[in-house]
């Protein structure tokens, strides 16, 4: 998709321009390390796309787009520490290379640098963007805590799971689009519609993440295979498996999820139940459902279809990914 390449280049150029040269290097080099690995840089691209959609000036959106990218990477550093994850994007995680203390500090540094990138916005837009950005950060922390709670919580419902992934993943995509729309001075109705489009695409993206954790190609996914099973994460796969399992299989799931272990038998046993209950097919259908809900919000925006086409293409691209 050519439009994606164009936005990625804009983001890459901006990241290169704002590489940290501050001291102490022990703090800033890890920040540069995670930012330079990049990934697809989807969330800053969402800021730019929404700004473009509503006829805004992309130059005004570049720094806020970087704010979203820096903030996202801050969450990844801390997430990896909490999950004791050895890899991120097929590279060693920061705490693996530099220790937990540096990981915490460099994550904090990225978050604070992110706030500075909003400073050039005019006062009213600045206030609106900072309000959304801060609220998003708090929801993300709540989502992370729910995720941690679920590891030891016996009864996790499907609604609990959807709330958790909405807070942990959905709102960051949603807010990225909304901030881009606000910078372009979109009206309230359209800004909320693009927010809801992003929210449901973000939910679908997280369900795909859960799916790929077990059913994806480990080399392409860039994370430890079945890490969620090792960590006792009650993902959508677990919840759907439990719903459709036999009593004996439920007891086996309860047994494995009562202990945190790297035992390969655990992964083998849980995966076997996942496959028998066809949770892979069910998860893919749920992904499609949220994609359709997201697309319905996109249709509510009163802008020519041609301008909305890249958003539908982006959603379909994200949900067909292999990594």
């Amino acid at each position: 998709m050519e439009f994606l390449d164009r936005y990625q280049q804009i983001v890459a150029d901006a990241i290169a321009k704002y590489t940290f040269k501050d001291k102490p290097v022990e703090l800033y080099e890890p920040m540069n390390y995670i930012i330079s690995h990049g990934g697809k840089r989807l969330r800053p691209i969402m800021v730019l796309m929404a700004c473009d959609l509503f006829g805004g000036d992309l130059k005004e959106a570049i720094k806020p787009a970087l704010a979203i990218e820096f903030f996202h990477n801050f969450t990844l550093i801390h997430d990896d520490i909490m999950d004791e994850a050895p890899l991120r994007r097929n590279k060693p995680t920061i705490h693996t290379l530099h220790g937990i203390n540096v990981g915490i500090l460099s994550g904090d540094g990225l978050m604070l640098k992110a706030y500075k990138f909003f400073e050039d916005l005019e006062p009213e837009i600045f206030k609106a963007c900072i309000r959304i950005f801060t609220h998003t950060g708090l929801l993300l922390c709540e989502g992370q805590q729910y995720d941690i709670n679920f590891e030891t919580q016996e009864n996790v419902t499907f609604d609990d799971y959807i709330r958790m992934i909405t807070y942990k993943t959905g709102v960051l995509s949603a807010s990225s689009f909304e901030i881009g729309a606000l910078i372009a001075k979109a009206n309230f109705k359209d800004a909320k519609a693009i927010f809801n489009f992003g929210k449901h695409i973000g939910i679908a993206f997280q369900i795909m993440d859960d799916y790929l954790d077990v059913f994806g190609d480990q080399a392409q996914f860039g994370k430890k295979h079945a890490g969620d099973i090792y960590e006792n994460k009650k993902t959508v796969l677990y919840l759907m498996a439990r719903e459709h399992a036999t009593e004996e299989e439920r007891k086996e799931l309860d047994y494995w999820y009562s202990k945190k272990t790297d035992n390969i038998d655990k992964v083998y046993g849980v995966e076997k139940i996942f496959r028998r209950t066809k949770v892979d097919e069910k998860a893919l259908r749920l992904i499609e459902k949220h994609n359709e809900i997201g697309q319905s919000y996109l249709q509510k925006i009163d802008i020519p279809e041609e301008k909305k086409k890249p958003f539908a293409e982006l959603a379909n691209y994200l949900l067909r990914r292999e990594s």
Side-chain angles (χ1 to χ4, degrees):
M1 290 184 293
E2 281 182 26
F3 77 90
L4 206 54
D5 293 339
R6 181 172 73 88
Y7 289 124
Q8 279 177 330
Q9 192 57 55
I10 292 170
V11 174
D13 290 346
I15 284 171
K17 181 179 177 182
Y18 293 103
T19 297
F20 299 118
K21 298 180 177 69
D22 317 53
K23 290 181 179 178
V25 294
E26 292 82 3
L27 172 67
Y28 289 101
E29 276 186 5
M31 290 159 66
N32 285 329
Y33 171 80
I34 193 165
I35 292 291
S36 68
H37 291 155
K40 296 182 178 71
R41 292 171 174 157
L42 296 168
R43 290 155 193 87
I45 286 171
M46 290 171 182
V47 177
L48 300 180
M49 284 180 70
C51 184
D52 248 353
L53 178 68
F54 296 106
D57 182 352
L58 273 194
K59 291 194 187 87
E60 291 178 22
I62 287 170
K63 280 189 172 182
L66 284 190
I68 295 288
E69 179 67 0
F70 282 20
F71 178 81
H72 174 58
N73 279 279
F74 140 69
T75 69
L76 297 183
I77 295 171
H78 285 200
D79 206 29
D80 288 340
I81 291 169
M82 285 182 256
D83 289 345
E84 298 175 11
L87 292 176
R88 167 71 61 182
R89 300 165 182 153
N90 272 326
K91 303 279 186 183
T93 47
I94 283 178
H95 71 276
T96 305
L97 292 173
H98 302 283
I100 288 173
N101 289 347
V102 171
I104 292 169
L105 281 174
S106 57
D108 291 348
L110 274 177
M111 179 185 68
L112 293 166
K113 286 284 190 181
Y115 270 93
K116 289 183 68 61
F117 276 125
F118 288 103
E119 289 173 354
D120 293 346
L121 294 173
E122 57 186 74
E124 283 307 307
I125 294 174
F126 171 81
K127 277 165 62 179
C129 288
I130 287 294
R131 186 175 64 247
I132 292 163
F133 189 65
T134 303
H135 184 58
T136 298
L138 286 169
L139 287 179
L140 201 142
C141 290
E142 290 175 20
Q144 180 72 355
Q145 186 62 57
Y146 282 127
D147 196 18
I148 292 165
N149 292 354
F150 291 172
E151 290 175 29
T152 52
Q153 191 176 318
E154 281 188 29
N155 297 313
V156 176
T157 67
F158 183 74
D159 287 345
D160 290 337
Y161 165 83
I162 292 295
R163 177 180 60 182
M164 182 272 287
I165 66 169
T166 300
Y167 288 5
K168 194 175 169 184
T169 304
V171 292
L172 188 55
S173 299
S175 298
S176 299
F177 282 126
E178 187 176 17
I179 284 170
L182 289 175
I183 291 167
K185 298 183 171 67
N187 65 47
F188 178 81
K189 179 176 145 293
D190 285 344
K192 280 302 163 197
I194 202 70
F195 173 92
N196 282 311
F197 166 76
K199 181 175 82 171
H200 285 281
I201 297 308
I203 290 169
F205 186 83
Q206 182 58 51
I207 297 169
M208 179 61 87
D209 218 48
D210 292 351
Y211 168 88
L212 289 172
D213 180 75
V214 176
F215 298 107
D217 182 321
Q218 183 189 358
Q220 288 185 312
F221 196 35
K223 293 182 186 175
K224 178 180 179 179
H225 172 68
D228 290 342
I229 295 174
Y230 285 115
E231 294 292 323
N232 296 335
K233 290 195 181 288
K234 294 185 174 72
T235 66
V236 70
L237 303 180
Y238 165 86
L239 294 173
M240 291 192 296
R242 218 172 179 292
E243 184 186 346
H244 295 93
T246 63
E247 191 165 341
E248 190 180 330
E249 287 169 334
R250 268 196 291 274
K251 282 180 183 169
E252 188 179 348
L253 282 173
D254 289 344
Y255 169 76
W256 287 124
Y257 277 73
S258 69
K259 51 183 70 191
K260 218 180 227 193
T261 172
D262 273 1
N263 186 338
I264 194 67
D265 291 339
K266 174 179 180 175
V267 173
Y268 176 75
V270 172
E271 275 193 31
K272 192 170 67 175
I273 296 170
F274 282 2
R275 291 182 191 279
R276 199 206 64 75
T277 51
K278 294 185 166 57
V279 296
D280 51 339
E281 296 172 17
K282 292 178 175 68
L284 291 173
R285 282 198 294 273
L286 191 60
I287 289 164
E288 189 50 43
K289 175 190 163 189
H290 280 281
N291 186 16
E292 287 170 5
I293 295 170
Q295 302 287 352
S296 72
Y297 279 106
L298 189 61
Q299 292 313 309
K300 291 178 182 177
I301 298 171
D302 188 20
I303 274 176
E305 287 304 308
E306 195 58 32
K307 291 194 79 174
K308 291 189 273 191
K309 204 168 155 191
F311 291 79
E313 285 179 23
L314 176 68
N316 291 328
Y317 162 73
L318 291 178
L319 304 179
R320 281 197 310 268
R321 71 199 174 111
E322 293 177 344
S323 62

